[in-house]
Amino acid sequence: MTIDLPFIWAAIIAFAVLAYVILDGFDLGVGILFPFFPEKHDRDVMMNSVAPVWDGNETWLVLGGGGLMAVFPLAYATILPALYMPLIAMLLGLIFRGVAFEYRWRTRRGEFLWDGAFTGGSMVATFAQGVALGALVQGIPVENRTYAGGWWDWLTPFSIATGVALLIGYALLGSTWLVMKTSGDLAARARVHALRAAIGTLVAMGVFSLWTPFLEPAYLNRWFGWPTAIFSIVVPLLVLGCFLLLLRGLRSEHDSQPFLAALGLFVLGFAGIGISFYPYMVPTSLTIWEAAAPEESLVFLLVGTIVLVPIILTYTAYAYWVFRGKVDPEEGYH
């Protein structure tokens, strides 16, 4: 039996991207929510809730991007020219946010500048990720194995709407994280924001579920052709179930349930994108197998990945275990 190495690597990269989205998404969401919590004490607690884990969360972004370059070089060489602007904006936003984590605690007079860098960096990085996703979903033109579009092809109503939707979605992750990690008035206000963001996220998922299939005939056939049309029924039902669990958790004050339900919404949204994309690595131009590197490279890199990914998972799980529970408002990571 032959092993489909390109497919295995596509699954690994998809897992890395999903891990980045659900892990880094909530700390980006905390930054997005900063303007709604103007008190210094609340902001200190919010940053301390994510300070021990935020940098480890971004490991998955490196794995996803590096894996794409090494394993699917043709896809990497096609996607980057199409998305230079949003990707550069994302990286700059992440840099400003990362610097703000450390510098904010070193000053009092200039603290407002680093608050702005944390908020602005989080918003810019999130919006840029959404725009890049939207541009990828709507398709990248390829001719003779190279990008055939223009510099501004990524800028469309669909990609802008995707950026706004991701801001709402990450705000949901951030607010439910605060519900789980904080207490008192801060957690109570986070519940209010979580409810609003949950409704906004559900509406956005509905809009894009109706919009996306009509961008490309391949998407339309995938979602409404047989047997994949089953997903068109199952996925919305699961989304509704996660939404109801989230609402129930907010009302019953089961503090971890809203966050887990919000993660479920993102996993289902990601699965929907995967269903639309497959078998393309660059929709709808390059398949997984057309974009893959030589088999020898895939085998060599897979050996290292089999060793490193379990180590990363173990370290990540241990970090979350050590810093589990509510954040003490009088103590902090810094």
Side-chain angles (χ1 to χ4, degrees), residues 68-156:
L68 183 67
M69 179 181 67
V71 179
F72 297 103
L74 182 57
Y76 183 86
T78 303
I79 293 172
L80 247 66
L83 303 177
Y84 271 139
M85 284 292 290
L87 292 179
I88 291 172
M90 179 192 74
L91 293 175
L92 289 174
L94 293 175
I95 290 170
F96 274 97
R97 185 183 66 124
V99 172
F101 263 106
E102 300 301 330
Y103 278 38
R104 181 180 182 273
W105 304 93
R106 303 293 186 265
T107 180
R108 287 291 176 264
R109 185 173 58 183
E111 187 177 64
F112 73 97
L113 294 174
W114 298 113
D115 283 350
F118 182 62
T119 301
S122 298
M123 289 184 172
V124 168
T126 299
F127 183 72
Q129 288 177 19
V131 168
L133 173 62
L136 188 61
V137 169
Q138 68 191 12
I140 296 176
V142 177
E143 292 181 7
N144 298 321
R145 298 169 65 88
T146 60
Y147 174 57
W151 180 256
W152 297 100
D153 282 10
W154 56 270
L155 187 61
T156 65

Side-chain angles (χ1 to χ4, degrees), residues 219-237:
Y219 298 161
L220 190 64
N221 293 334
R222 178 57 56 87
W223 279 103
F224 297 105
W226 184 260
T228 50
I230 296 173
F231 295 111
S232 300
I233 300 173
V234 174
V235 171
L237 291 175

Side-chain angles (χ1 to χ4, degrees), residues 28 32 86 122-138 154-171 200-201 204 208 211 266:
L28 284 167
I32 293 168
S122 298
M123 289 184 172
V124 168
T126 299
F127 183 72
Q129 288 177 19
V131 168
L133 173 62
L136 188 61
V137 169
Q138 68 191 12
W154 56 270
L155 187 61
T156 65
F158 183 81
S159 65
I160 297 300
T162 309
V164 173
L166 196 61
L167 284 168
I168 298 171
Y170 279 3
T201 300
F208 284 99
W211 193 349
F266 268 78

Side-chain angles (χ1 to χ4, degrees), residues 46-322:
M46 291 167 70
M47 289 195 77
N48 277 324
S49 73
V50 296
V53 295
W54 74 271
D55 47 356
N57 294 340
E58 294 186 352
T59 301
W60 300 102
L61 180 63
V62 177
L63 177 60
L68 183 67
M69 179 181 67
V71 179
F72 297 103
L74 182 57
Y76 183 86
T78 303
I79 293 172
L80 247 66
L83 303 177
Y84 271 139
M85 284 292 290
L87 292 179
I88 291 172
M90 179 192 74
L91 293 175
L92 289 174
L94 293 175
I95 290 170
F96 274 97
R97 185 183 66 124
V99 172
F101 263 106
E102 300 301 330
Y103 278 38
R104 181 180 182 273
W105 304 93
R106 303 293 186 265
T107 180
R108 287 291 176 264
R109 185 173 58 183
E111 187 177 64
F112 73 97
L113 294 174
W114 298 113
D115 283 350
F118 182 62
T119 301
S122 298
M123 289 184 172
V124 168
T126 299
F127 183 72
Q129 288 177 19
V131 168
L133 173 62
L136 188 61
V137 169
Q138 68 191 12
I140 296 176
V142 177
E143 292 181 7
N144 298 321
R145 298 169 65 88
T146 60
Y147 174 57
W151 180 256
W152 297 100
D153 282 10
W154 56 270
L155 187 61
T156 65
F158 183 81
S159 65
I160 297 300
T162 309
V164 173
L166 196 61
L167 284 168
I168 298 171
Y170 279 3
L172 172 63
L173 289 179
S175 56
T176 53
W177 171 262
L178 293 175
V179 168
M180 184 173 66
K181 297 294 290 184
T182 64
S183 56
D185 181 64
L186 176 56
R189 283 185 287 161
R191 284 189 179 88
V192 175
H193 293 300
L195 177 59
R196 294 171 179 171
I199 295 172
T201 300
L202 186 66
V203 171
M205 293 182 75
V207 169
F208 284 99
S209 295
L210 295 174
W211 193 349
T212 301
F214 296 96
L215 292 174
E216 291 285 347
Y219 298 161
L220 190 64
N221 293 334
R222 178 57 56 87
W223 279 103
F224 297 105
W226 184 260
T228 50
I230 296 173
F231 295 111
S232 300
I233 300 173
V234 174
V235 171
L237 291 175
L238 293 175
V239 167
L240 183 59
C242 286
F243 179 74
L244 294 176
L245 285 173
L246 194 155
L247 294 183
R248 183 180 177 184
L250 291 175
R251 291 170 180 170
S252 63
E253 298 189 2
H254 291 163
D255 291 347
S256 61
Q257 184 172 313
F259 181 66
L260 295 176
L263 293 182
L265 289 175
F266 268 78
V267 170
L268 290 170
F270 191 81
I273 294 172
I275 293 168
S276 299
F277 273 25
Y278 186 81
Y280 293 100
M281 181 58 64
V282 180
T284 50
S285 302
L286 295 173
T287 66
I288 295 169
W289 300 275
E290 290 171 340
E295 183 174 342
E296 293 79 6
S297 299
L298 300 183
V299 172
F300 175 77
L301 293 167
L302 185 61
V303 172
T305 303
I306 291 173
V307 175
L308 288 177
V309 169
I311 295 174
I312 298 172
L313 288 171
T314 302
Y315 165 79
T316 301
Y318 179 70
Y320 279 90
W321 174 257
V322 168

